[in-house]
Amino acid sequence: RGLFLATVVSNARLCRDHFRLVLSMADFPPTAPGQFVQINCQARCETADEPAEHAWRSESDPGLRTRSLVGPLPLLRRPFSLAGDRPGPAGGTTRLLEIIGRAIGVGTSRLAMLAPGETLDLIGPLGNSFPMPSAGQAALLVGGGVGIPPMIYLAEAVAKLGNPAIAIAGVTTVDFLPLTCDDNIRPSAELPSLCAGEFSRFGVPTLIASDDGTVGLRGLVTDALARVLDSQRLAADRVVIYTCGPERMMRAVTELATSRGIRVWVAMERAMACGIGTCQSCVCKVRRLDQSDWSYKLVCTDGTIFDGREIVW
């Protein structure tokens, strides 16, 4: 891992709040599904904006009016899971990283507005990665909201192995769906279909669930997961579940998987100040299956991928 300067190749809006950012970098290390990067969301300061000295205008007002002192700034880097990683078009050592984010604050809103050719710096690749399914084992990829992007990268890796896979995406409403749906294939409320371009390009069908029923199945993502498990009739040892999204969702997915004896891997999400284990802020409780006591683990370095059965929710 290291600090890298990235150039924006493209930046497209996917829905009301979500955007897809493609970044180009030279000599970026190999990555794997489940890993993440820490992105600096601050705009680069011009010398003229940041004088070396500030005039003291009065006894009560030092006159500090520069942007870095009075404007809202994203001081900490933001963690983003990888939605894809591929070689650059010119070959060589250039890599293209795909990031899908949601603009909800000053930092992510700036990323959503970046234009091709602009630059930013990031730290990565960080964290561990999803264990791949065994030969012939089916993979169910359960993502909710901004937990959907790492499932896209995982779908590509599983498809390359030749394992069958089904993506299950959950959103509150269609306006928050960070996927490109095919106009000719309407998302089904019953069965997975090749309706989402991000997954269908790897031959992976998708079942979408929305809380309000505006797209796909009306209900929770766990309702969609149960429907897929019942319809596929796979033995517990022939399927593995991967999930990322809101913690309550992942807990429900883990409980459903555990009740059926199915292995489940979760990508935990936390606010991270550093992403490299220094700040000790992104902890979660973990209990080994053969032990009664729990301990704290760092999501950034011990994870972000954990055995869902070991998480103390």
Side-chain angles (χ1 to χ4, degrees):
R1 69 192 182 197
L3 176 65
F4 296 87
L5 182 65
T7 301
V8 177
V9 175
S10 64
N11 194 0
R13 185 164 294 279
L14 295 174
C15 59
R16 192 171 82 186
D17 289 348
H18 293 82
F19 58 92
R20 179 189 289 112
L21 190 63
V22 178
L23 304 174
S24 174
M25 282 170 291
D27 302 319
F28 195 74
T31 68
Q35 290 190 295
F36 69 100
V37 293
Q38 289 277 109
I39 297 180
N40 181 3
C41 300
Q42 287 194 48
R44 292 180 175 273
C45 295
E46 300 294 336
T47 304
D49 293 338
E50 305 297 329
E53 297 181 0
H54 296 271
W56 192 290
R57 297 179 181 178
S58 70
E59 292 183 0
S60 60
D61 182 3
L64 304 181
R65 296 290 183 271
T66 56
R67 179 172 55 83
S68 65
L69 296 174
V70 300
L73 289 177
L75 298 179
L76 299 177
R77 294 176 182 270
R78 304 295 196 264
F80 287 89
S81 58
L82 299 179
D85 177 11
R86 61 184 187 274
T93 60
T94 301
R95 307 294 303 179
L96 296 179
L97 293 189
E98 187 172 318
I99 305 291
I100 295 178
R102 181 182 178 188
I104 56 175
V106 62
T108 49
S109 294
R110 177 181 175 267
L111 294 184
M113 298 299 293
L114 288 175
E118 293 191 73
T119 60
L120 54 80
D121 63 79
L122 58 82
I123 298 173
L126 302 172
N128 60 3
S129 59
F130 287 111
M132 291 294 103
S134 303
Q137 201 173 32
L140 300 184
L141 319 177
V142 185
V146 290
I148 295 174
M151 299 297 110
I152 299 172
Y153 193 5
L154 181 58
E156 179 182 10
V158 171
K160 287 181 178 178
L161 290 176
N163 290 65
I166 296 175
I168 304 168
V171 292
T172 55
T173 183
V174 67
D175 289 343
F176 292 149
L177 180 65
L179 297 174
T180 306
C181 288
D182 191 325
D183 293 336
N184 299 317
I185 306 177
R186 184 178 180 84
S188 171
E190 300 295 332
L191 298 172
S193 65
L194 297 175
C195 60
E198 287 79 1
F199 291 106
S200 64
R201 60 181 171 174
F202 308 122
V204 175
T206 305
L207 181 60
I208 300 172
S210 56
D211 293 355
D212 60 1
T214 50
V215 59
L217 170 72
R218 183 186 184 93
L220 302 177
V221 71
T222 45
D223 299 327
L225 174 59
R227 180 163 299 191
V228 169
L229 289 172
D230 292 339
S231 64
Q232 297 298 311
R233 298 182 182 278
L234 295 170
D237 61 345
R238 303 304 298 165
V239 61
V240 59
I241 296 174
Y242 303 89
T243 185
C244 181
E247 193 160 306
R248 289 179 63 185
M249 183 209 83
M250 292 193 293
R251 178 177 182 174
V253 169
T254 299
E255 290 174 349
L256 177 59
T258 303
S259 69
R260 302 191 181 209
I262 300 172
R263 189 71 176 271
V264 57
W265 297 100
V266 302
M268 297 296 292
E269 292 188 343
R270 287 289 187 276
M272 297 180 185
C274 70
I276 56 175
T278 301
C279 67
Q280 302 282 298
S281 63
C282 61
V283 297
C284 68
K285 292 182 178 179
V286 176
R287 178 187 294 114
R288 292 179 58 90
L289 297 179
D290 58 350
Q291 297 179 357
S292 58
D293 293 336
W294 59 267
S295 63
Y296 281 119
K297 295 291 184 181
L298 293 176
V299 171
C300 66
T301 53
D302 297 314
T304 60
I305 312 304
F306 294 92
D307 185 330
R309 302 169 300 173
E310 296 183 346
I311 298 294
V312 181
W313 299 99

